[in-house]
Amino acid sequence: MRPIWRINMALLSTFEKIVGKERIMKIMKTANGFEQLFEQHSVVEKLQCDYKDGTCTIKFRNNTVKKIFANCTVFNEQYGIPISEDGSKIYINSWEKGLTAYDTKDGRILWKTNIKSLSKVFVFQEFIIALKSGSCIIKINAENGSVIDQIKGSSIEDIYNLQYYFFLIISWKKNLCVVDTSTMSIIKNYSLSIANPNKCLSFVIQTAKLKKGYLVIEGFEEFPNMNFSNKGVKFFSRVIDCNCVI
């Protein structure tokens, strides 16, 4: 029996995510949409998205406010809206329409991709890393939206930004691996049995972190030894590599 690999993109009212170079964003529901706070972004303080009129209001740290039409939806609330390091662009993702880059000054559409089924999007200065559901990791040119490179895989479940350009990829058939997205190369491989040593049927990874060479995953698990009678959700914090120097 195959374990149920659940990812933590649940419908939470408030949650935190890592976008790009450790820019933490906090997402909170509002009456007509959601508000997204950037705690460590040097230029942008927060975004406010309104589902009724599709607008996105951007508040900069210099107290400037810009309101643009960006067709925001509940999909963006689930995954968040990435923003460029200099605050000049926001990237609105749509499951069916692809990724669109908007100019934060006047709301102009700078470029669009026709790549559908993108979920997580991570923005860096020169490129964007995106997860195309279940099939590949795509590297996109941040200036024009063209595809630079991709890593194809069978049944990719999720990706986590560890540090700078390094990501942990979760895949059923190819286990876990660390990828350097600056070169789009796989530099570390791990077995799923290391991540799930208790053979839990329900296994939820919430975060993956790199701490002084230790690769740590955290989350919740239930039904150990592949037995549904062993009930009780337990939190775990697990080191899967004690010498992950990247």
Side-chain angles (χ1 to χ4, degrees), residues 150-208:
Q150 58 184 310
I151 296 177
K152 294 183 178 180
S154 54
S155 188
I156 296 177
E157 298 288 341
D158 207 351
I159 60 174
Y160 299 88
N161 188 204
L162 296 175
Q163 176 179 294
Y164 305 113
Y165 305 133
F166 298 95
F167 286 77
L168 180 68
I169 296 178
I170 311 294
S171 171
W172 273 112
K173 296 184 179 180
K174 290 191 176 181
N175 304 331
L176 290 77
C177 62
V178 175
V179 171
D180 179 354
T181 57
S182 66
T183 59
M184 294 297 278
S185 57
I186 297 174
I187 60 175
K188 290 265 188 175
N189 280 287
Y190 308 95
S191 168
L192 280 179
S193 62
I194 297 176
N196 186 14
N198 298 322
K199 299 179 180 179
C200 294
L201 289 172
S202 180
F203 188 73
V204 183
I205 292 182
Q206 287 198 308
T207 61

Side-chain angles (χ1 to χ4, degrees), residues 17 73 75-76 78-80 82 91-100 111-122 128-140 145 147 149-150 158-159:
K17 296 176 63 181
T73 68
F75 182 81
N76 304 120
Q78 183 178 4
Y79 290 100
Y91 302 88
I92 303 296
N93 190 23
S94 168
W95 185 258
E96 297 180 347
K97 298 179 181 180
L99 187 65
T100 303
W111 52 259
K112 291 182 179 181
T113 70
N114 58 359
I115 307 170
K116 300 179 181 180
S117 305
L118 296 180
S119 54
K120 284 188 173 180
V121 177
F122 302 83
I128 295 167
I129 297 298
L131 170 62
K132 182 174 173 60
S133 181
S135 61
C136 63
I137 307 299
I138 301 177
K139 185 176 183 178
I140 300 170
V147 174
D149 201 352
Q150 58 184 310
D158 207 351
I159 60 174

